[in-house]
Amino acid sequence: MATLSIANWAVSLEYTSLPESVTHAAIRSFYNWTGCALGGSNHRTTTTALKALSPFFGPSTSSILGRANVSEDSLPKRADASHAALINGIASHVHDYDDTHLETIIHPTGPVASALLAQAEAQGNVSGKDFILALVAGIETECKVGLAVWPKHYDIGWHITSTTGSIGAAVAVGKLLKLTPEQMAHAIGIAATQVTGLREMFGSDTKSFHVGRAAQNGLTAAVLASNGYTSSLQALEAKRGWAHVVSETQILSEQVTTLGSIWEIEKNSFKPFPCGIVVHPVIDGCIQLHNEMTSSGYKAGDIARVHCRVHPLVLELTGKKTPQDGLQAKFSVYHGGAAGLVFGKAGPGGYEDAVVKSDEIITVRDKIDAFADANLGPDETVIVAELRDGTSLKKHVGHAIGSLEVPMTDEQLEAKFIDQVGRVLGSQQASEASRACWAVGSVGNVEELVRTL
């Protein structure tokens, strides 16, 4: 009875039972998510969704992050909790800069935090500790059900972040609503039946819509369940339930038994570059090559050819040779490598549409070849750059920055946060938001934090 087991575990989970390492991981996850949501709040994809859907908004109970300081348009700054979850979820994922549970490549915080923050603000009087507890419950559930169907689920073509994210969001919001175990099981079922997300949509506006919709679906599921709405109590494990429908193989019961003993949030990783995580080793190596070339007096124009050996998944997920805009470039190992070689970095600015179409980037991008090597790890690459004068430079990246072996430090996360948020709110307000987010676990009311954002 996996569905009821998860429900019982989530309902009984208490803040005092969370190891300190888990609460710190949760704060880091929320901190990173907030930076991504604010950083993506003015992206064309986000504002298009906001403009299209705002006529359907209900009572303005919850904030749309990053909009409070916008005065040049008439778009709303608040919405009902359901639409706030949707819009903030889109914003948090649009730059592809959010966290990653590497064992499943789920981006866990996006769906869960987007739903949770919207509900917390609408509900009122939610303490930071209750918020963190609900966040952990949602992320743990989301990642466990993801592990149960990985990798077949993803191989079929499902976007695992959204297909599991609605379940995690339902559990998180259900925790805030203090659902009974049976109500929580119904919430899980209502979320599970709303399966959202096809990998075919990668590189388009709809990829980030997956995350927003998962948040919205999960919130809806929990609210319905709190009002007595029912679903199957075996929604996940039944013969025609979620796990069997979305994957050829599943190990749901095995994963459920590890709840509370193996904490998936501790395995969460954070991206130093705003693109598909499998591209990160190439970007890391190309930035190192840029620095070595610069110190020796070379420029990107001196490159004759670049050969990259990569894990096979890199070409499957990010093999776009000629991306036409920033969203497509996030799934191009060739663009990521070119940005690293030309700029010596690959932040959000390196994925702007104008940069993707620039002659300088295209020239270098066209000189990059990538070859699959099954002997390499997913966070590993070997790059050889041949220069016009016959010089050959080689880089082997054993583990890319942002991997579990080379994790981003709190200081690096903060630099990433300030860079993203500063583009939207300005440097002073970005610093204030940073301090507030680090302190989320100690606030008496999450609404105090939202005002800073």
Side-chain angles (χ1 to χ4, degrees):
M1 300 292 285
T3 305
L4 278 169
S5 294
I6 292 173
N8 279 306
W9 174 82
V11 169
S12 63
L13 185 65
E14 297 181 357
Y15 187 86
T16 53
S17 67
L18 301 180
E20 185 177 346
S21 58
V22 169
T23 57
H24 183 60
I27 290 170
R28 278 167 57 90
S29 296
F30 174 72
Y31 180 87
N32 184 76
W33 171 84
T34 306
C36 292
L38 285 167
S41 63
N42 62 357
H43 191 281
R44 174 192 57 78
T45 298
T46 308
T47 55
T48 298
L50 180 58
K51 182 177 181 181
L53 298 175
S54 58
F56 304 99
F57 287 0
S60 300
T61 61
S62 305
S63 299
I64 298 171
L65 298 184
R67 298 296 303 174
N69 67 328
V70 178
S71 57
E72 66 269 20
D73 61 45
S74 59
L75 295 177
K77 298 170 174 53
R78 295 175 67 81
D80 58 278
S82 176
H83 279 101
L86 171 64
I87 300 298
N88 290 335
I90 290 172
S92 74
H93 190 61
V94 70
H95 281 302
D96 239 300
Y97 217 2
D98 41 347
D99 55 339
T100 308
H101 177 259
L102 292 176
E103 289 183 36
T104 58
I105 61 175
I106 291 171
H107 304 291
T109 311
V112 176
S114 300
L116 193 56
L117 191 65
Q119 175 62 27
E121 196 175 1
Q123 184 173 322
N125 296 317
V126 174
S127 71
K129 287 184 178 180
D130 285 344
F131 185 88
I132 291 297
L133 177 63
L135 184 70
V136 171
I139 288 177
E140 290 301 310
T141 298
E142 174 186 25
C143 291
K144 294 299 186 185
V145 298
L147 283 166
V149 296
W150 175 265
K152 292 293 186 180
H153 174 66
Y154 193 77
D155 293 343
I156 292 168
W158 291 109
H159 185 190
I160 193 169
T161 294
S162 50
T163 59
T164 64
S166 60
I167 298 170
V171 167
V173 174
K175 189 71 174 167
L176 279 193
L177 293 172
K178 302 187 184 305
L179 300 186
T180 66
E182 185 170 313
Q183 287 175 323
M184 186 70 85
H186 287 309
I188 291 170
I190 299 167
T193 203
Q194 302 176 82
V195 185
T196 298
L198 303 175
R199 284 174 56 196
E200 173 61 25
M201 304 304 166
F202 288 12
S204 74
D205 291 333
T206 302
K207 182 174 189 283
S208 57
F209 172 78
H210 293 168
V211 174
R213 180 61 93 186
Q216 188 178 47
N217 287 348
L219 189 152
T220 299
V223 171
L224 284 170
S226 73
N227 282 270
Y229 215 83
T230 66
S231 72
S232 167
L233 294 176
Q234 302 177 62
L236 298 179
E237 69 273 17
K239 181 179 179 181
R240 295 178 179 84
W242 181 85
H244 287 275
V245 170
V246 303
S247 181
E248 296 173 6
T249 59
Q250 58 284 136
I251 50 170
L252 198 56
S253 59
E254 293 178 30
Q255 291 300 326
V256 170
T257 60
T258 66
L259 281 165
S261 58
I262 299 175
W263 297 94
E264 302 305 325
I265 200 167
E266 291 185 319
K267 306 175 189 176
N268 216 7
S269 67
F270 304 96
K271 290 184 176 183
F273 313 118
C275 60
I277 198 165
V278 293
V279 182
H280 290 193
V282 169
I283 297 176
D284 192 346
C286 285
I287 290 173
Q288 293 181 42
L289 284 170
H290 167 91
N291 294 336
E292 183 175 339
M293 289 167 57
T294 300
S295 66
S296 301
Y298 292 108
K299 299 179 180 179
D302 296 316
I303 295 172
R305 206 76 203 162
V306 179
H307 305 281
C308 306
R309 286 195 290 118
V310 297
H311 186 274
L313 195 59
V314 175
L315 295 181
E316 179 186 342
L317 295 178
T318 62
K320 295 183 184 293
K321 289 283 289 185
T322 56
Q324 299 302 304
D325 58 29
L327 291 178
Q328 289 186 13
K330 295 178 184 297
F331 296 90
S332 172
V333 65
Y334 309 99
H335 176 81
L341 289 167
V342 172
F343 304 126
K345 59 182 181 179
Y351 286 86
E352 293 178 357
D353 291 351
V355 172
V356 175
K357 297 174 183 178
S358 68
D359 291 339
E360 184 178 25
I361 283 290
I362 290 172
T363 298
V364 175
R365 188 177 72 206
D366 289 346
K367 295 176 180 178
I368 299 175
D369 294 319
F371 306 94
D373 185 341
N375 294 316
L376 294 177
D379 59 344
E380 183 180 13
T381 189
V382 177
I383 307 172
V384 177
E386 299 173 358
L387 307 185
R388 294 185 183 279
D389 65 2
T391 302
S392 181
L393 303 175
K394 182 177 180 179
K395 288 294 175 186
H396 173 224
V397 177
H399 297 287
I401 183 173
S403 63
L404 291 178
E405 290 77 9
V406 189
M408 292 185 72
T409 63
D410 287 354
E411 292 73 23
Q412 289 172 321
L413 273 183
E414 189 163 325
K416 172 184 171 180
F417 184 103
I418 297 296
D419 176 62
Q420 290 184 94
V421 179
R423 294 168 182 265
V424 177
L425 303 182
S427 58
Q428 180 177 345
Q429 202 167 345
S431 296
E432 292 174 5
S434 173
R435 288 192 293 271
C437 287
W438 280 128
V440 60
S442 59
V443 297
N445 190 335
V446 172
E447 288 178 280
E448 301 169 19
L449 170 61
V450 179
R451 282 194 288 272
T452 307
L453 306 181

